Amino acid sequence: RAAPAARWPVAHASVRAPCPPTEEHARAARLAGIIDTMVNNADAKLFHAKKLLQNGESQAAMELLEFIAANNPDLADVQYLLGVAQFGSGKNDAARASIQKAIELDPENEDYKTELENLDKAIKGELPEQVEAAARAAAEAAAAGGTSQ
């Protein structure tokens, strides 16, 4: 008579419970599917990353989007959002490269092209709101300088 096959020592009773091989395989497949969905669900992770960006948490969003992009390199939305998060984290060159990749993946998307132009302007300080803020700051500085003399 052959000795019984060694089992992996498991503490949790539901995992330890013996079951016929076919049922065990089916249960393992279901469990693998659940884990795969939890770990690799790009849509859920993308939704979370968008919420992080909306809350101004660029660094956390960037880290999550880098993971999504590594596992889904052909998703243009992921590359675009990664660029937004990178810009918010001060990584301008990486942001430009990510948005450029989004354009390469979806060349018909005019929003990506517009955002790349806006990114370039933002890096140079040429966005209208940046120009206005600089003009206000200069006017305030001039006014403060004139009153202190």
Side-chain angles (χ1 to χ4, degrees):
R1 183 171 186 189
R7 289 191 168 249
W8 183 261
V10 178
H12 195 275
S14 67
V15 178
R16 225 182 6 208
C19 56
T22 55
E23 186 180 330
E24 190 172 317
H25 292 302
R27 185 172 71 178
R30 283 193 308 275
L31 183 59
I34 291 168
I35 291 170
D36 183 57
T37 299
M38 290 169 44
V39 172
N40 296 319
N41 190 331
D43 291 332
K45 287 183 178 7
L46 192 57
F47 177 80
H48 185 213
K50 287 178 184 178
K51 291 298 176 192
L52 289 170
L53 284 171
Q54 289 171 351
N55 291 331
E57 298 179 55
S58 297
Q59 183 66 35
M62 183 182 72
E63 291 169 8
L64 181 56
L65 288 160
E66 285 172 342
F67 173 81
I68 299 168
N71 292 295
N72 303 279
D74 296 331
L75 294 179
D77 282 346
V78 172
Q79 295 298 327
Y80 164 71
L81 290 172
L82 177 57
V84 171
Q86 289 166 326
F87 177 71
S89 298
K91 299 179 185 285
N92 297 343
D93 292 338
R96 190 170 202 304
S98 293
I99 294 175
Q100 186 63 47
K101 185 169 182 181
I103 293 168
E104 291 168 11
L105 292 169
D106 185 3
E108 302 300 314
N109 191 319
E110 293 300 318
D111 292 337
Y112 296 160
K113 295 173 186 174
T114 300
E115 284 302 314
L116 184 60
E117 291 171 9
N118 288 337
L119 173 67
D120 287 336
K121 288 178 184 177
I123 291 169
K124 296 174 187 173
E126 296 175 352
L127 285 176
E129 54 269 24
Q130 290 173 310
V131 172
E132 290 172 16
R136 275 194 310 273
E140 290 171 7
T147 59
S148 65
Q149 292 180 355

